Amino acid sequence: MMEFKATIGGKPAHVGSDFAVLNPATGEEVGRAPNMGGAEVDAAVAIAKAAFASWSMLSDEALQAACAAVTAKIEEHAGELAEIITLEQGKPLNGLGSRWEVGGAVAWAGYTAGLSLPVKVLQDNEQGRVELARKPLGVVGSITPWNFPVMIAVWHILPALRTGNTVVVKPSPHTPLSTLRLVEIMNEVLPPGVVNVVTGDDRAFNLGAAMSAHPDIRKIVFTGSCATGQKVMQSAAETMKRLTLELGGNDAGIVLPDADPAKIAEGLFWGAFINNGQTCAAMKRLYVHEDIHDAVCDALVAYARNIPVGNGMEEASILGPVQNRMQFDKVERLVADARGRGKVLLGGEPGEGLFFPPTIIAGLRNGDALVDEEQFGPALPIIRYSDIEEAIRLANDSPNGLGGSVWSSDIATAKKVAGRLACGSVWINKHGAIQPNAPFGGVKASGFGVEFAEEGLAEYTDIQVVFS
């Protein structure tokens, strides 16, 4: 069992109690995290605010160098972080698992370190010079989910640092250990107080609610459910915080009649089942044209049958368990309802503990719970359609709008369909392939603001226009 300390002001923060973190594959305790409250939140914010005075005055080159040093430190500890992720989150070390996650975190950190927001000259003539500068906000509060605990923390923290802000990060109580270690590692090369972490089980005291209402936090960046995002937005209103909210998705994929079932089966599977379906931008529902519906189902099931599911610490495992009981129960409920409405092609019954096999169910339609609700787990509903206009209407018939995909042998036709989908990102013949040089965010109920690239970096700044 591992014991972890929170880091506030560059030092271990000691509190009177802690809470257990369990391995979802075995149910065993893998570590303990500090169970903090309002006093620790206030202390972390105060120290971050004090550190902002000097950190925000560093040159652009110094901030870039500091972020590059953080990137190198994360890479140095990649193996250690990957093992902690697997133990507390459940995803395998291999495949698109924890080693892949840490590799993605390093890539994002390195790319973000190289970005900059130089002063823009809006006017320079006989009437005067007008410049637009980007200024750091102050203390940024980061609230991260349990599905990608290290990579999403990096998505939140690095752009904040790169723009001269300081950070207080609060990870999910399901997966706090890897974030505690990540912040400890970052503090090996950062000045005290620039990045701080608070953890708690959220039972007696809700740390996230305290952060989103805190008067000295200037911005909240939150990744999680729509319901919690709405609460964050409401509690942030009184202090007029800046917000970046990457919320839930119910991404639709549309397979056009000219697609090749054998060629797209692998992409369809990983678009839906990456991280066991526990991904905001995973494909949550699939619309397939009636001409190739059965062939697509057969090819997808044939591919899925060969994916090893097991304890993530075993090198042969490619998918692991559902991360926590609450999410498992939701998947079980939705699949049980779908079994009575459609045809189970694969899986359909829960396994032992928190293991749920990859499940594919055809014969469903909009209005069925597994289609309408975000399952956030290893279950994919397949809906047959006959007309592309029908498919577009059904795909857009959701309050969410994070991502979508179109699968076709004709890229030009696929792009025309993609342009009509009401979502922030659309992929052709793949799904969920985000990258650090492309802005990412949702429309409708799926989010507020964007992450990544220069557009995401700018969200950590205020604009100041200088007239001379």
Side-chain angles (χ1 to χ4, degrees):
M1 187 186 74
M2 300 175 286
E3 196 167 323
F4 293 77
K5 301 290 186 183
T7 303
I8 297 178
K11 301 176 182 178
H14 299 280
V15 294
S17 64
D18 54 21
F19 63 98
V21 180
L22 305 181
N23 182 338
T26 65
E28 297 173 349
E29 185 174 318
V30 296
R32 303 192 72 85
N35 201 9
M36 297 174 146
E40 288 78 26
V41 171
D42 289 342
V45 174
I47 287 173
K49 184 177 180 182
F52 176 75
S54 56
W55 180 255
S56 62
M57 296 303 294
L58 292 179
S59 68
D60 190 65
E61 291 76 16
L63 291 172
Q64 185 174 27
C67 290
V70 167
T71 302
K73 271 293 176 184
I74 298 171
E75 188 167 24
E76 180 184 331
H77 292 270
E80 174 193 358
L81 288 169
E83 287 199 6
I84 299 172
I85 292 170
T86 291
L87 287 170
E88 68 175 350
Q89 203 279 336
K91 67 182 64 176
L93 291 166
N94 288 328
L96 299 177
S98 59
R99 289 172 179 147
W100 176 83
E101 176 179 342
V102 178
V106 171
W108 248 272
Y111 185 86
T112 303
L115 293 174
S116 62
L117 297 171
V119 172
K120 288 185 179 181
V121 178
L122 305 181
Q123 176 184 306
D124 189 13
N125 56 26
E126 66 280 359
Q127 295 176 328
R129 184 179 175 91
V130 183
E131 297 174 338
L132 184 153
R134 294 278 180 174
K135 298 172 66 69
L137 298 167
V139 180
V140 171
S142 160
I143 304 174
T144 60
W146 48 259
N147 57 337
F148 290 97
V150 165
M151 188 154 64
I152 292 178
V154 165
W155 291 353
H156 290 188
I157 295 170
L158 263 293
L161 299 183
R162 184 64 187 87
T163 46
N165 300 282
T166 55
V167 179
V168 176
V169 58
K170 181 256 175 207
S172 164
H174 294 298
T175 54
L177 304 181
S178 55
T179 307
L180 287 167
R181 183 63 182 130
L182 174 70
V183 172
E184 193 174 40
I185 290 165
M186 289 180 170
N187 270 269
E188 293 179 13
V189 292
L190 290 173
V194 172
V195 178
N196 311 273
V197 58
V198 293
T199 58
D201 62 11
D202 285 344
R203 293 175 183 172
F205 185 84
N206 190 309
L207 298 175
M211 288 171 60
S212 59
H214 202 290
D216 289 331
I217 291 181
R218 285 289 323 281
K219 174 185 173 72
I220 289 286
V221 53
F222 168 79
T223 302
S225 71
C226 295
T228 304
Q230 290 170 353
K231 292 178 181 177
V232 169
M233 197 167 184
Q234 290 167 358
S235 61
E238 286 192 15
T239 52
M240 296 295 289
K241 285 181 175 55
R242 305 297 186 266
L243 295 172
T244 299
L245 306 176
E246 196 269 276
L247 308 179
N250 194 11
D251 290 14
I254 299 177
V255 179
L256 301 186
D258 65 351
D260 184 330
K263 287 184 179 179
I264 67 174
E266 181 178 0
L268 289 173
F269 179 84
W270 288 114
F273 291 94
I274 181 175
N275 200 32
N276 227 15
Q278 299 167 128
T279 305
C280 290
M283 185 169 62
K284 308 288 174 45
R285 50 202 171 109
L286 181 63
Y287 298 88
V288 182
H289 192 272
E290 60 186 5
D291 288 354
I292 58 169
H293 175 275
D294 293 351
V296 168
C297 290
D298 290 345
L300 184 54
V301 168
Y303 183 86
R305 287 191 191 280
N306 296 317
I307 302 300
V309 179
N311 188 323
M313 294 301 290
E314 298 172 0
E315 294 285 346
S317 298
I318 300 299
L319 290 180
V322 175
Q323 201 285 322
N324 58 78
R325 173 57 60 181
M326 181 178 69
Q327 197 58 42
F328 182 93
D329 289 346
K330 181 178 182 180
V331 174
E332 185 177 21
R333 170 180 63 83
L334 292 173
V335 169
D337 178 79
R339 282 200 307 265
R341 301 174 184 274
K343 180 181 180 182
V344 177
L345 305 179
L346 185 69
E349 295 286 348
E352 294 184 7
L354 295 180
F355 284 92
F356 205 107
T359 294
I360 300 170
I361 303 180
L364 299 176
R365 59 185 181 181
N366 283 40
D368 293 336
L370 185 58
V371 178
D372 288 1
E373 297 185 38
E374 183 188 21
Q375 65 275 48
F376 214 71
L380 178 66
I382 298 180
I383 304 97
R384 184 192 300 262
Y385 77 90
S386 58
D387 177 73
I388 187 57
E389 294 298 324
E390 174 194 15
I392 294 170
R393 179 183 63 79
L394 294 172
N396 288 336
D397 183 22
S398 171
N400 300 104
L402 192 56
S405 57
V406 183
W407 305 75
S408 172
S409 298
D410 185 336
I411 301 300
T413 298
K415 284 185 176 180
K416 290 180 181 178
V417 175
R420 297 178 61 190
L421 296 182
C423 50
S425 299
V426 189
W427 296 275
I428 308 297
N429 293 328
K430 54 189 171 183
H431 194 108
I434 55 177
Q435 51 195 61
N437 62 339
F440 176 70
V443 302
K444 299 190 285 187
S446 286
F448 191 95
V450 297
E451 298 180 278
F452 315 154
E454 289 183 7
E455 291 82 356
L457 196 66
E459 297 218 0
Y460 289 80
T461 65
D462 279 330
I463 286 176
Q464 185 178 65
V465 180
V466 178
F467 299 83
S468 62

